Amino acid sequence: MAKVEHDLTDDQWAALIAAWGGCAYCGADDARLQKDCMLPISRGGRYTLVNVVPACRSCNASKCNAEVTTWMRRKKLDEQAFLVRQAEIVRSADMEPRI
């Protein structure tokens, strides 16, 4: 992980938590949200604004190192609604998204 450039700032992380209002996947309002990489670090992802969402411990553990859409399909979650909302949140941050 030390060899990969991660550029998610503390302010961006706080903004993501506020924008999602809970776990990005299940909506749980958990005070201990974790940074989850939609494209896992083990598959080339990084901690960046466009790749990180807040996740409750349960969703983060369940997703493990799966790519987000594959995991969402397996869990029968609304993949399209998630992706649209994620794009809107990143866009509203008024920052250049990087993966």
Side-chain angles (χ1 to χ4, degrees), residues 70-88:
T70 301
W71 176 77
M72 291 188 87
R73 288 174 192 155
R74 187 174 70 236
K75 298 292 277 186
K76 297 184 183 356
L77 297 172
D78 190 343
E79 171 189 352
Q80 182 177 359
F82 167 81
L83 292 172
V84 167
R85 184 157 184 223
Q86 191 270 340
E88 289 169 349

Side-chain angles (χ1 to χ4, degrees), residues 42-54:
S42 64
R43 297 174 184 257
R46 299 181 296 137
Y47 286 111
T48 62
L49 178 66
V50 74
N51 193 44
V52 171
V53 296

Side-chain angles (χ1 to χ4, degrees), residues 28-99:
D29 184 13
D30 186 343
R32 304 180 103 197
L33 292 169
Q34 303 173 351
K35 294 175 186 167
D36 182 59
C37 290
M38 295 185 313
L39 177 64
I41 291 169
S42 64
R43 297 174 184 257
R46 299 181 296 137
Y47 286 111
T48 62
L49 178 66
V50 74
N51 193 44
V52 171
V53 296
C56 68
R57 183 177 177 172
S58 177
C59 285
N60 199 9
S62 172
K63 184 177 160 288
C64 193
N65 72 340
E67 189 271 331
V68 70
T69 55
T70 301
W71 176 77
M72 291 188 87
R73 288 174 192 155
R74 187 174 70 236
K75 298 292 277 186
K76 297 184 183 356
L77 297 172
D78 190 343
E79 171 189 352
Q80 182 177 359
F82 167 81
L83 292 172
V84 167
R85 184 157 184 223
Q86 191 270 340
E88 289 169 349
I89 288 170
V90 169
R91 200 172 313 122
S92 73
D94 198 29
M95 304 188 87
E96 187 66 29
R98 292 177 272 172
I99 294 182

